[in-house]
Amino acid sequence: MKCQEILEKLSEYIDKEVDPSLCDEIERHIEDCEPCVAFINTLRRTVELFGGVKHVTPEIPPDVSDKLNAFLKEKIIRNP
Amino acid sequence: MAGAQRSDKQTACHVSEKEKDEALIVRIKNGDYSAFEELVRKYQARVYSHGLKFLNSKEDAEDILQETFLQVHKSLDKFRGEAAFSTWLLKIATNNCLMRLRKRKKMIAVSIDKPIEFNGSKLTREIVDWSKNPSLQYSNDEIRMVLDNTIAKLPEDKRAVLILKDVEGYSNIEISQMMGMTVAAVKSRLHRARIFVRDELSVYFEGALEHTKTGSVK
Ligand SMILES: [Zn+2]
C-alpha cells in the first residue's frame, strides 16, 4: 500500500472501523513509514482534542432555561 | 388485562431511555403539557450546548433552543419512533443551526476536497509529529481558539459531521439519520474535516517543535 491509500483510510483506522485484513496492511506499512506514523499520531490527537468536551455533561444557565419555559408556555398554551 | 399490567410492572425497572421518551410522547399527544415540560427538562441542556458548539454564540444558541422545542411540539405527530427521540430532536436542532449558518452568509467556506499533499506515491512535505506537545489540551485557551476558528472555516456539512461525531460522540448511523445522508457520506465528510483541522493545527505548531527528519517515503 502507498501512503496516499493509507491516508484515505486513516479516520476509519483510528476509529477502529477497518476490517482486519486492511488493518494488518496498514500496520505493516506504518512499521517503517515515519511520515504515516506522524500523520496518524497527529490525526488521532486532533480527534482526541475534540473528545475532550464529550464527557462533560452539557449545562444550561438557569435563566436560559427559565426563558425557554416561558417562551414555550406563551406560544403553546396562551397563543396556540 | 390484569396479567398485562403485572408484566408492565415487572419491566418497569428496566425501562430504556427510548421507552421512557415514548411514554412521555404519548402523554404529550394526549395533551399533557407537564409531560412536554419533562421532555424539555431532559433535553434542553443537550440542545443548548449543541447550538453553542455550532454557532459559537449564546444568543443564537438560545434562539435555536426555543425554535427547536417549539418545532418539536408542533411536529410531534410526524415522529414515528423509527429512530430514538433524541436522534430526531438533534436532527431538528442541527437543521436549525445549519439554516442559521446559511443566514449568516459571512462564513468563509474553504475547499477541503482536494487530496492533501501526497504527490503520487511520494510525500512532498515533512510531517511533523506534534502529538506529544504538552500545550496540547482542550483546556488550553489558545488551542481551543485555534480549534473553534478552524471549525468555523469548515463548510457546513463537514462542520456538522465533525461536531456530531468528534465533539458530541454520536455514531455514524445516528449521524446519517440526522443529516439524511449515507454512512459512507458521513465517513468521507468526517475524514476530510479531520484532516483539515489536523493541517490547521500543524500550521499552528510549526516552529513550536523542532522539525524532525521523517525519513524516506514509499
Ligand atoms: Zn506511509
Side-chain angles (χ1 to χ4, degrees):
Chain A
M1 271 184 114
K2 291 174 177 157
C3 297
Q4 177 68 49
E5 296 167 84
I6 301 278
L7 177 86
E8 289 302 326
K9 295 286 168 198
L10 285 186
S11 271
E12 287 173 84
Y13 174 70
I14 62 176
D15 288 343
K16 299 187 167 55
E17 287 166 2
V18 288
D19 50 64
S21 66
L22 183 57
C23 188
D24 286 349
E25 270 193 72
I26 292 173
E27 280 174 359
R28 226 174 305 132
H29 173 101
I30 63 178
E31 241 169 52
D32 58 351
C33 185
E34 273 187 67
C36 275
V37 170
F39 202 92
I40 291 171
N41 286 344
T42 49
L43 190 65
R44 187 177 274 139
R45 204 69 189 85
T46 302
V47 175
E48 282 168 6
L49 277 180
F50 289 117
V53 289
K54 192 156 54 186
H55 306 293
V56 179
T57 316
E59 280 175 15
I60 182 166
D63 65 310
V64 174
S65 174
D66 291 346
K67 272 193 266 174
L68 172 65
N69 285 319
F71 170 85
L72 292 171
K73 265 200 183 122
E74 174 72 25
K75 291 281 180 184
I76 296 167
I77 298 180
R78 297 207 186 91
N79 292 303
Chain B
M1 197 61 187
Q5 274 172 357
R6 199 157 43 237
S7 80
D8 278 348
K9 264 183 191 153
Q10 277 165 355
T11 53
C13 308
H14 311 285
V15 189
S16 67
E17 284 310 308
K18 191 167 187 281
E19 287 166 327
K20 279 186 205 164
D21 289 349
E22 279 163 6
L24 282 176
I25 288 162
V26 170
R27 284 170 54 201
I28 298 168
K29 284 180 179 172
N30 288 328
D32 181 350
Y33 191 76
S34 73
F36 180 62
E37 287 180 312
E38 203 176 312
L39 200 69
V40 170
R41 246 194 324 275
K42 182 170 174 184
Y43 288 110
Q44 57 181 2
R46 212 189 288 185
V47 172
Y48 180 68
S49 82
H50 188 71
L52 267 185
K53 280 168 205 149
F54 262 82
L55 302 165
N56 261 328
S57 145
K58 286 178 182 167
E59 291 75 24
D60 284 352
E62 201 172 332
D63 288 347
I64 294 297
L65 179 71
Q66 299 184 348
E67 285 166 22
T68 299
F69 278 108
L70 185 61
Q71 209 174 331
V72 162
H73 193 271
K74 276 184 187 158
S75 51
L76 209 54
D77 285 334
K78 289 183 206 144
F79 175 67
R80 299 267 172 260
E82 287 121 1
F85 170 76
S86 55
T87 307
W88 185 72
L89 170 69
L90 266 291
K91 179 182 183 171
I92 294 175
T94 303
N95 279 339
N96 287 339
C97 289
L98 292 178
M99 265 191 307
R100 184 150 300 227
L101 283 176
R102 259 168 242 151
K103 266 189 220 157
R104 279 188 191 166
K105 279 195 173 152
K106 60 185 177 185
M107 196 183 71
I108 320 138
V110 291
S111 170
I112 55 165
D113 285 318
K114 288 175 286 178
I116 66 150
E117 297 157 45
F118 283 88
N119 180 12
S121 65
K122 290 277 180 211
L123 201 57
T124 57
R125 64 160 186 208
E126 278 181 356
I127 307 280
V128 176
D129 189 349
W130 42 259
S131 64
K132 307 283 190 305
N133 190 301
S135 69
L136 202 59
Q137 288 161 16
Y138 197 84
S139 53
N140 177 324
D141 285 344
E142 217 174 319
I143 300 285
R144 207 178 168 124
M145 211 179 69
V146 174
L147 285 174
D148 286 346
N149 290 341
T150 306
I151 293 184
K153 282 194 231 166
L154 284 166
E156 55 187 47
D157 56 336
K158 295 181 183 73
R159 178 205 305 226
V161 169
L162 184 82
I163 292 175
L164 289 167
K165 173 85 175 187
D166 287 342
V167 181
E168 301 190 329
Y170 290 99
S171 71
N172 292 336
I173 292 171
E174 286 171 319
I175 298 167
S176 80
Q177 289 168 341
M178 286 178 204
M179 301 290 296
M181 54 175 78
T182 63
V183 169
V186 169
K187 283 186 176 183
S188 136
R189 279 163 182 76
L190 176 69
H191 188 53
R192 297 286 156 215
R194 281 175 174 176
I195 284 182
F196 180 74
V197 178
R198 193 215 75 93
D199 286 356
E200 292 283 301
L201 281 175
S202 298
V203 172
Y204 172 76
F205 278 110
E206 213 149 278
L209 266 186
E210 271 193 19
H211 285 236
T212 38
K213 286 285 166 218
T214 46
S216 61
V217 288
K218 289 179 274 184

